[in-house]
Amino acid sequence: MAAAAPDAPAGFSEAPAPTATAEPEAGGEDSREVRVLQSLRGKICEAKNLLPYLGPNKMRDCFCTINLDQEEVYRTQVVEKSLSPFFSEEFYFEIPRTFQYLSFYVYDKNVLQRDLRIGKVAIKKEDLCNHSGKETWFSLQPVDSNSEVQGKVHLELKLNELITENGTVCQQLVVHVKACHGLPLINGQSCDPYATVSLVGPSRNDQKKTKVKKKTSNPQFNEIFYFEVTRSSSYTRKSQFQVEEEDIEKLEIRIDLWNNGNLVQDVFLGEIKVPVNVLRNDASHQAWYLLQPRDNGNKSSKTDDLGSLRLNICYTEDYVLPSEYYGPLKTLLLKSPDVQPISASAAYILGEICRDKNDAVLPLVRLLLHHDKLVPFAAAVAELDLKETQDANTIFRGNSLATRCLDEMMKIVGGHYLKVTLKPILDEICESSKSCEIDPIKLKEGDNVENNKENLRYYVDKLFSTIVKSSMSCPTVMCDIFYSLRQMATQRFPNDPHVQYSAVSSFVFLRFFAVAVVSPHTFHLRPHHPDPQTIRTLTLISKTIQTLGSWGSLSKSKSSFKETFMCEFFKMFQEEGYIMAVKKFLDEISSTETKESSGTSEPVHLKEGEMYKRAQGRTRIGKKNFKKRWFCLTSRELTYHKQPGKDAIYTIPVKNILAVEKLEESSFNKKNMFQVIHTEKPLYVQANNCVEANEWIDVLCRVSRCNQNRLSSYHPSAYLNGNWLCCLETSENALGCKPCTAGVPADIQIDIDEDRETERIYSLFTLSLLKLQKMEEACGTIAVYQGPQKEPDDYSNFVIEDSVTTFKTIQQIKSVIEKLDEPHEKYRKKRSSSAKYGSKENPIGKIF
C-alpha cells in the first residue's frame, strides 16, 4: 500500500484522483480473467577467462544460449578464436510458461562432435529480481548432467491393510505414478520417458519400472505399484490398523525419470524422494512434485575456475487486471502533456522516481503512442531540456527523459523505415569480405589502404544516398516530433542558423541511423551481431554518416574526428553537395505541418520552377487550356504565379492535398503530366521533362504524406465529357479505380496492449513509493521554506518547478495506486489459496 501523505503545507490541498470509467464492484474481478504476463529483456555482454584447450591451439569458438530450465530459447552468434568472447547481444521475449531456472550456457562450438558446454549461470526465478537492471559478472558453474532437470511428477501414495489367507496382516504401500509434465526435449525432440519406482530403506531397495512412453514431454503413465512396508503380524494381536513408527521414519519412495536411449545410454531426467511418513496422519497422499537433481547434482569434483559471464537481466511478471480498473491511472497519465509545467505531470514524475529511467520509458512511450499523446509530451519535455542547454552545439546530446523517450519512439515506429532504407545495403556489407580498414596501425599484412578507402567510400556514399532520399518512408510520428524540435530549437537559439538542423540530426543521424548501422542486430536488420571485421567496417561507416549528418561539424572548417586517418578520409565528403543533400533531407522530415501554424515561424521553401497547368474549366482540352505558370512549394502551401515574385494566382494548402499521382498520357495526349488531388477539383500539371515530373511528385508526396485524409485510391485518367476516362464512371465523385502509389502515411500499425503498459507503470510506481514519498516531502519543504537550501540532498535530484502542482499530482498518483492495490491484493490472496501446495500450479519442491 502507498505511504500516507504528510499534512499539506500552505498552498496545498488534497487533490482528488482523476475519474474515468466507473470502478467495478467489489469482487468483480473474480469473474473476469486476470492475465499473468512474463517477459525478459537484457543483454549478454561478454565472457572472460574461459578455460583454454590443453593443446597448442588454446582458443575456443564460443556461443551462449538462454534456457528456461532445459529449454533453449535464444542463441547468440559464434565468436571465433577467443577465450574472452564479446557477444553484446540484446534480447527480449515473452515467457509463455512457468519455469524454475533461467540459465545461460556458454558453449564451445564443435563441427565434428557435439558442442561442449563450458559452464553455466543458473538463476532461480525468485532470485531474478535481485539482478534486475544491473550489469553483473557471474562465475560460470560446472555443467553436470545429473543436475540438468526440469518437469514435474504427479504421484499418489496409499497405505492398505492386507489380510493374508492364514489370517495374518501386513501393511502395503500403494504407489500410483499418474503422469509427468514439462519434461525436456532430448536433442531437439520429445523424449521417450519411463520411471523407476523404488522403496528405499536401511536394508532394502525394491525397484520397479513403468512402461516407456514414446515421443512425449507430458507422459500419462497411470501405473500402480505395491510394496510391503511392515512385517507380517497376527491379525488378532492388532486392535486397529497401525504402522509401526520406527519403520515409517526410515522408508522413502524414490522415483527416477529416464529417457530411453534404445541403442545408447539412457539419460537421467530427474528424481523425487517422498518419505513414507507423509502417511502418518492420512490414509492417502496425492501431489505434484518438481523433479530434482541427484544428490550429487550440484556438487562437482572440478575445482577449476571456468571463467565468468557478464549479463544484464530484467525480468518482469505483471498481473494485468480487466481494463476498467486502469481508467483512473490512464486518465492521469494521458493528461500529462497538458500539465503546466510538464515536470509536474504524472508521466514526468514516473521518470524522476524510477531507479532506471529506461524502465519507465518503454511502457510510457507505448501508452502515449497508442493514444496519440506522445508528440505533445515529447515536445514538452524536450522544451524543458532546451531551457537547461546553454550551448547550441550540445543540443539534445544528454541522456534525459526527453532523449530516451525519442530514442524508444524511433525504435518502436522506425523499424520498418530502417528495413526499407538500410537493410539491403547492410546485407551487402555483412555478406561481403571487402576490407575497409583505414587505420594504419590496424592494417593487416597485404592490405592496401587506398583500396580500403575506396571500399569504405563506396559504402558510405551508397548508404548516405539512400538515407537522404528516404524521407518518404519516415513515419509521421517522427516527422511531427522533428518539426516540434526544429521550431523550439530556433526559438531557443535564434541567432544560430544551424541549430534548426542540428536539433533534428542529433536524433535522426546520431541516435537512429548511426546506431542502427553499427548495431544492425539490435534493430532486427541482421540475425546476429556481425563478425569483428564487419563490426569495424560498420563502425567506420557509422562515424562518417554521423558526422555528415551533424550540422554542428559541417558548419566548421574542421571535422569533429579525433583520429588523423578519419580526418583525412572525411575530406572526401567536405563538398557542398553533401551539405545540401543533408539540408534537403532534414527539411523534408521536419517541415511538415499537421496543424494550424501559430504564425511564429516562416514556412520552409521546398521547390519551385516553371510548368504548365490546365485550366480548371470543363471545356475540352486545347492549347488555350494549358498555361505556363511559376510554381512554388513550401511546407505550408502549393502556389502558382504568372511570374516569379508576383502574387499567387492560386493556392492549395498542403494540409488539403489528398494524393499526388501521375496522369495517363491518353488523358490530354501530353507527356510528363501529374495530378494534385485536393479538396477541390484536381490540378493537372505538365512538367518539362520526366525527371522534373518525378521530382515534383516526390516532394509533393513527402510534404503531404502526414495529412489525415489521404486517399487510398485514385483515377489515373481525367474526368472529361461526363465520365472518367479510366473506368468510365459517370459520377465525378466516384471512388478511385486504382490504388495510390504513395499509399497511406508511412506509419506502421503498432499492436500495443495498453492495459499491460498501464499495469507495468503501476508496478513501477509501487516499487518507487519511497522515492515518491521523498519527492512529496521535497515539495512541502520547498513551499514552506523559502530561504537558502540548507540540505539540498533531500530534493536536489528532483526537477520541481512548481511545488504546489507537483504535490497535487503526487497526491493523485498515490490515490490511484492505493485503489489499484486492492484488486491486486485480492487476486494474490485468491491465487495463493487456489494454488494449493502440491497442486500442478504450485508443486512441491520449490525450496532446494
Side-chain angles (χ1 to χ4, degrees):
M1 297 294 288
D7 294 335
F12 288 68
S13 61
E14 294 289 334
T19 57
T21 310
E23 192 172 330
E25 296 178 3
E29 75 276 4
D30 293 343
S31 61
R32 299 180 180 90
E33 181 183 3
V34 175
R35 296 177 292 148
V36 182
L37 302 176
Q38 306 173 96
S39 64
L40 184 73
R41 66 176 172 86
K43 185 176 184 179
I44 301 173
C45 303
E46 61 179 318
K48 68 178 181 180
N49 301 327
L50 300 181
L51 276 179
Y53 277 124
L54 296 177
N57 181 15
K58 299 181 182 297
M59 297 295 105
R60 297 182 182 269
D61 297 337
C62 303
F63 65 91
C64 186
T65 67
I66 303 177
N67 292 48
L68 295 175
D69 297 322
Q70 293 305 297
E71 181 185 7
E72 182 181 317
V73 293
Y74 181 85
R75 180 178 291 211
T76 70
Q77 56 141 1
V78 176
V79 179
E80 298 179 350
K81 297 182 175 62
S82 177
L83 297 179
S84 296
F86 184 78
F87 299 109
S88 188
E89 293 205 24
E90 295 182 353
F91 57 86
Y92 174 84
F93 50 84
E94 304 290 324
I95 300 176
R97 65 168 178 82
T98 59
F99 66 99
Q100 295 173 253
Y101 280 93
L102 174 69
S103 300
F104 298 81
Y105 290 82
V106 178
Y107 282 82
D108 181 17
K109 184 74 176 174
N110 195 313
V111 177
L112 300 178
Q113 301 176 15
R114 243 176 118 180
D115 298 331
L116 174 66
R117 291 185 289 191
I118 299 173
K120 69 175 182 179
V121 173
I123 307 172
K124 292 180 184 178
K125 178 183 175 181
E126 54 265 35
D127 293 336
L128 286 171
C129 59
N130 299 330
H131 307 287
S132 182
K134 298 182 292 186
E135 280 196 1
T136 307
W137 281 103
F138 294 89
S139 295
L140 291 177
Q141 301 301 315
V143 179
D144 181 354
S145 59
N146 289 331
S147 70
E148 304 298 294
V149 302
Q150 77 171 55
K152 46 196 169 187
V153 181
H154 193 195
L155 178 70
E156 183 177 13
L157 302 179
K158 288 183 180 179
L159 274 172
N160 287 342
E161 184 182 71
L162 184 65
I163 303 173
T164 64
E165 292 180 356
N166 60 5
T168 59
V169 63
C170 68
Q171 287 95 48
Q172 188 179 59
L173 177 65
V174 182
V175 181
H176 184 183
V177 181
K178 294 189 170 185
C180 291
H181 183 80
L183 298 180
L185 300 177
I186 303 296
N187 296 327
Q189 298 182 349
S190 294
C191 55
D192 297 335
Y194 69 91
T196 60
V197 183
S198 305
L199 179 64
V200 181
S203 59
R204 63 188 296 179
N205 188 352
D206 301 338
Q207 187 178 94
K208 304 177 187 290
K209 177 181 174 182
T210 69
K211 295 177 181 178
V212 175
K213 298 296 181 180
K214 292 289 187 180
K215 304 301 178 189
T216 176
S217 295
N218 303 305
Q220 300 292 319
F221 292 112
N222 280 320
E223 295 192 38
I224 300 175
F225 303 93
Y226 301 92
F227 298 91
E228 182 183 323
V229 296
T230 60
R231 295 177 181 177
S232 298
S233 58
S234 171
Y235 183 68
T236 57
R237 290 176 57 189
K238 299 184 74 70
S239 59
Q240 61 182 0
F241 175 68
Q242 178 181 347
V243 178
E244 294 178 10
E245 195 71 23
E246 59 271 21
D247 289 335
I248 280 285
E249 294 296 333
K250 297 174 183 177
L251 297 176
E252 68 178 12
I253 286 292
R254 191 181 76 199
I255 297 178
D256 294 82
L257 266 292
W258 297 86
N259 176 62
N260 182 36
N262 291 322
L263 300 179
V264 297
Q265 186 176 359
D266 292 354
V267 177
F268 175 74
L269 300 178
E271 70 175 11
I272 64 169
K273 295 180 180 180
V274 183
V276 178
N277 65 12
V278 297
L279 295 170
R280 180 185 298 168
N281 300 318
D282 297 300
S284 67
H285 169 75
Q286 182 176 184
W288 283 87
Y289 285 84
L290 284 174
L291 287 171
Q292 303 292 333
R294 278 181 175 162
D295 286 339
N296 66 343
N298 291 321
K299 300 174 184 177
S300 175
S301 58
K302 296 181 180 179
T303 57
D304 294 331
D305 182 2
L306 300 177
S308 53
L309 184 65
R310 182 162 62 95
L311 302 169
N312 189 326
I313 306 167
C314 183
Y315 167 77
T316 60
E317 183 177 76
D318 294 320
Y319 300 94
V320 183
L321 304 173
S323 295
E324 54 264 37
Y325 284 93
Y326 297 111
L329 180 55
K330 276 193 283 192
T331 300
L332 183 61
L333 292 164
L334 294 176
K335 77 174 186 179
S336 293
D338 303 319
V339 175
Q340 295 292 334
I342 192 66
S343 60
S345 67
Y348 193 92
I349 290 171
L350 177 66
E352 283 286 281
I353 64 174
C354 281
R355 184 181 66 180
D356 185 349
K357 278 187 170 62
N358 288 330
D359 291 338
V361 164
L362 179 57
L364 193 58
V365 167
R366 293 176 72 87
L367 182 66
L368 294 174
L369 263 176
H370 186 72
H371 290 274
D372 297 323
K373 295 287 188 178
L374 182 62
V375 174
F377 176 76
V381 293
E383 189 172 19
L384 189 60
D385 269 14
L386 282 171
K387 289 180 181 178
E388 303 298 321
T389 305
Q390 304 301 319
D391 184 355
N393 291 321
T394 62
I395 192 169
F396 299 127
R397 296 296 178 95
N399 211 11
S400 64
L401 180 63
T403 57
R404 293 188 192 195
C405 282
L406 267 66
D407 287 348
E408 196 59 50
M409 175 275 297
M410 291 189 294
K411 285 183 182 178
I412 294 171
V413 306
H416 180 73
Y417 181 28
L418 288 174
K419 285 181 180 179
V420 299
T421 306
L422 300 184
K423 193 175 189 312
I425 304 173
L426 292 177
D427 287 343
E428 177 185 346
I429 295 169
C430 293
E431 292 163 12
S432 169
S433 58
K434 290 181 180 180
S435 175
C436 296
E437 184 57 72
I438 59 175
D439 184 353
I441 298 176
K442 296 183 178 181
L443 286 175
K444 296 179 181 178
E445 186 176 352
D447 275 357
N448 186 307
V449 70
E450 294 303 321
N451 290 342
N452 291 0
K453 278 186 180 179
E454 287 304 314
N455 293 339
L456 185 58
R457 177 167 187 173
Y458 166 78
Y459 286 140
V460 170
D461 273 333
K462 192 169 185 178
L463 203 62
F464 176 79
S465 177
T466 302
I467 290 173
V468 296
K469 292 178 181 177
S470 70
S471 62
M472 186 64 186
S473 302
C474 187
T476 302
V477 174
M478 289 174 62
C479 294
D480 286 346
I481 290 182
F482 293 157
Y483 174 79
S484 297
L485 296 178
R486 181 174 183 158
Q487 305 307 310
M488 291 186 295
T490 302
Q491 293 173 7
R492 177 69 179 86
F493 299 100
N495 298 321
D496 190 325
H498 298 285
V499 73
Q500 60 176 319
Y501 296 109
S502 60
V504 179
S505 67
S506 62
F507 285 103
V508 74
F509 277 101
L510 273 66
R511 295 174 176 267
F512 188 57
F513 285 124
V515 177
V517 168
V518 80
S519 303
H521 59 293
T522 304
F523 292 83
H524 308 291
L525 301 175
R526 295 289 298 174
H528 287 301
H529 199 72
D531 61 72
Q533 178 177 312
T534 306
I535 291 172
R536 178 61 178 166
T537 297
L538 294 176
T539 301
L540 295 173
I541 294 171
S542 177
K543 284 184 175 183
T544 312
I545 292 294
Q546 176 178 318
T547 306
L548 277 170
S550 175
W551 269 86
S553 61
L554 286 174
S555 63
K556 299 173 184 177
S557 59
K558 294 183 179 180
S559 70
S560 59
F561 293 112
K562 296 179 180 178
E563 306 98 331
T564 304
F565 64 90
M566 284 302 297
C567 291
E568 289 298 315
F569 176 69
F570 192 71
K571 288 179 181 178
M572 297 180 179
F573 304 94
Q574 290 180 317
E575 301 173 2
E576 189 66 20
Y578 289 99
I579 296 176
M580 296 308 297
V582 171
K583 181 179 178 181
K584 181 174 181 291
F585 170 69
L586 296 176
D587 281 340
E588 289 169 347
I589 64 171
S590 63
S591 60
T592 298
E593 289 185 287
T594 57
K595 56 191 176 205
E596 291 295 330
S597 171
S598 63
T600 59
S601 61
E602 290 297 318
V604 177
H605 176 83
L606 298 175
K607 190 172 179 62
E608 61 182 349
E610 192 175 67
M611 295 185 293
Y612 295 84
K613 67 94 186 175
R614 181 180 181 264
Q616 299 294 297
R618 291 176 175 267
T619 59
R620 185 77 176 173
I621 93 159
K623 250 183 168 181
K624 61 180 181 181
N625 293 68
F626 281 82
K627 295 182 179 178
K628 185 186 294 185
R629 291 291 182 258
W630 185 263
F631 284 78
C632 183
L633 176 65
T634 72
S635 56
R636 288 187 192 168
E637 58 193 19
L638 171 67
T639 58
Y640 60 76
H641 316 247
K642 281 190 174 181
Q643 294 177 355
K646 299 291 184 180
D647 290 340
I649 299 174
Y650 192 74
T651 300
I652 302 175
V654 163
K655 65 182 181 181
N656 291 350
I657 296 177
L658 306 178
V660 182
E661 298 289 345
K662 290 182 179 179
L663 191 69
E664 289 183 354
E665 184 177 335
S666 59
S667 296
F668 300 108
N669 294 319
K670 292 182 181 291
K671 293 184 178 182
N672 307 319
M673 288 203 66
F674 63 91
Q675 53 184 322
V676 180
I677 306 169
H678 57 111
T679 50
E680 299 179 11
K681 293 182 182 297
L683 173 65
Y684 299 130
V685 182
Q686 183 187 25
N688 294 301
N689 54 64
C690 61
V691 173
E692 187 179 71
N694 285 334
E695 288 179 350
W696 274 100
I697 293 171
D698 188 42
V699 72
L700 282 164
C701 284
R702 294 181 192 192
V703 77
S704 64
R705 75 195 182 290
C706 302
N707 294 348
Q708 298 297 316
N709 298 316
R710 282 186 63 90
L711 299 179
S712 58
S713 61
Y714 76 105
H715 293 283
S717 291
Y719 184 81
L720 297 174
N721 299 327
N723 64 268
W724 292 99
L725 299 180
C726 45
C727 59
L728 302 182
E729 284 283 347
T730 56
S731 171
E732 195 169 1
N733 297 320
L735 292 176
C737 57
K738 185 176 180 180
C740 289
T741 54
V744 296
D747 295 57
I748 303 301
Q749 187 64 35
I750 302 166
D751 183 20
I752 292 177
D753 183 346
E754 61 174 320
D755 290 340
R756 183 180 190 175
E757 306 306 338
T758 312
E759 169 63 27
R760 183 93 293 273
I761 291 171
Y762 158 77
S763 299
L764 292 171
F765 273 129
T766 302
L767 291 171
S768 307
L769 279 177
L770 286 177
K771 201 164 182 183
L772 186 68
Q773 182 78 14
K774 287 184 178 180
M775 192 174 189
E776 184 180 43
E777 293 168 356
C779 290
T781 302
I782 294 170
V784 173
Y785 180 69
Q786 301 295 333
Q789 297 179 7
K790 293 182 179 179
E791 297 180 357
D793 290 343
D794 290 340
Y795 54 87
S796 61
N797 291 328
F798 298 123
V799 176
I800 303 176
E801 296 178 288
D802 184 330
S803 57
V804 174
T805 307
T806 303
F807 181 87
K808 290 179 179 178
T809 303
I810 292 173
Q811 291 281 295
Q812 291 177 320
I813 292 170
K814 292 174 68 175
S815 176
V816 296
I817 295 305
E818 285 174 356
K819 288 184 178 179
L820 271 171
D821 282 341
E822 296 171 9
H824 279 87
E825 184 61 28
K826 188 170 185 178
Y827 172 73
R828 278 190 283 267
K829 288 180 179 178
K830 178 186 174 184
R831 192 182 189 211
S832 176
S833 61
S834 62
K836 180 183 175 182
Y837 190 52
S839 66
K840 190 174 183 180
E841 295 75 21
N842 189 19
I844 296 171
K846 286 194 174 182
I847 301 176
F848 299 104

